[in-house]
Every structure is written in C-alpha cells, then in structure tokens.
Amino acid sequence: MLRERQIELMHGELQNWKSYLQFIEGEMVFIQGLLDSYVFEPCTPKLFERLETFREHFKISKRKRRSLSETIKKHENGLGGIFECVDDECDDHYYQKHQELNKKITDYIKAYINLKKEVYDYAGSVLKKKKPSY
C-alpha cells in the first residue's frame, strides 16, 4: 500500500512538472514575440545588444526546457517499472532519481523566472511610450 501511494505521489509531481513546462513553453512564445517586435524605443543605448543577449538566454532556456521534458517522459515511463522491483534498493534508486529530477526542475523554474523578470524589467523601461488618444 505504501509503495502504491508513493508512486501516486510521484506521478502527481510528474504531471505538475509537465504542466509547468508546458505553461513556460507558451509564455516563451509570447516573450520571444516581444523581443522580436518593434515596440522598443530605438534611441535606447545598447538596445540591440541587450535584446540579443535576452534572445540567446531564451534559446538556452528553451533547450533546457525541452531536455527536461524528455527526461520527465523517460522518468514517467519508468514509473511502471517500480512495480517490478523486488527489493528496497531498486525502489530507493528510483526515488533518488525522482528527487534529483525534482531539484533540476526546481532550479530550472527559478532560473526561468529570473530571466523573465530581467526581460520584463528591461522591456518596461524601454517600451515606446504611446500617447493616449482622447
């Protein structure tokens, strides 16, 4: 019974991780569009360089997100194999891998949030100011 409950909890975590990464994927599309748009003040010093830096960081983040998504799929596929484990050592190995993946996902999400904050802070300061029409 304990094993089934642990598997259920791990499966729930895997579903949450997949959901977070899918949300981030959609958000990245929006942010990439923002970075590629022409809504920035053209006279901003080093505008092009900063935008290129953000674009590059997003490319790296996208690759990490895809890699983590693949790792989650493999880990999820292996979840059923835990029922075939006959000793605690096998269970412990799978749980350890799960915890390591948890740390990677948590670290990635924190890094992504920091990157997004940098982009939003910068974009907010250099967006073209549109005069309100009355």
Side-chain angles (χ1 to χ4, degrees):
M1 185 66 177
L2 179 60
R3 180 185 273 185
E4 287 83 11
R5 180 68 182 135
Q6 287 175 320
I7 292 171
E8 187 179 308
L9 290 172
M10 286 190 293
H11 185 262
E13 283 185 323
L14 287 166
Q15 297 311 308
N16 284 336
W17 297 340
K18 289 191 320 188
S19 179
Y20 284 132
L21 294 181
Q22 286 173 342
F23 179 81
I24 288 171
E25 181 179 13
E27 201 172 47
M28 284 180 148
V29 169
F30 170 79
I31 294 170
Q32 201 71 49
L34 175 67
L35 293 174
D36 293 339
S37 71
Y38 297 100
V39 297
F40 298 103
E41 286 290 349
C43 60
T44 303
K46 299 185 180 183
L47 173 69
F48 181 76
E49 293 86 356
R50 287 294 301 268
L51 293 177
E52 281 304 307
T53 299
F54 288 138
R55 286 182 186 116
E56 186 59 35
H57 289 165
F58 266 89
K59 283 181 191 175
I60 293 167
S61 186
K62 279 183 178 182
R63 283 194 298 268
K64 286 181 182 177
R65 185 191 46 75
R66 282 194 295 268
S67 175
L68 284 171
S69 291
E70 286 300 314
T71 303
I72 288 171
K73 283 180 192 174
K74 289 176 186 172
H75 189 65
E76 186 174 31
N77 290 339
L79 190 59
I82 202 167
F83 283 115
E84 298 171 11
C85 289
V86 291
D87 60 9
D88 290 338
E89 188 175 312
C90 179
D91 284 356
D92 291 343
H93 177 71
Y94 192 86
Y95 300 138
Q96 181 181 356
K97 284 177 62 176
H98 187 81
Q99 292 307 313
E100 289 168 5
L101 183 54
N102 184 15
K103 180 167 177 12
K104 287 179 184 179
I105 296 287
T106 301
D107 290 348
Y108 171 77
I109 290 172
K110 285 178 184 176
Y112 171 75
I113 288 170
N114 286 334
L115 175 58
K116 181 174 72 168
K117 182 183 179 326
E118 283 181 44
V119 170
Y120 286 174
D121 288 348
Y122 183 72
S125 70
V126 296
L127 286 173
K128 289 181 183 176
K129 309 293 187 266
K130 189 173 182 182
K131 293 182 178 148
S133 56
Y134 296 100

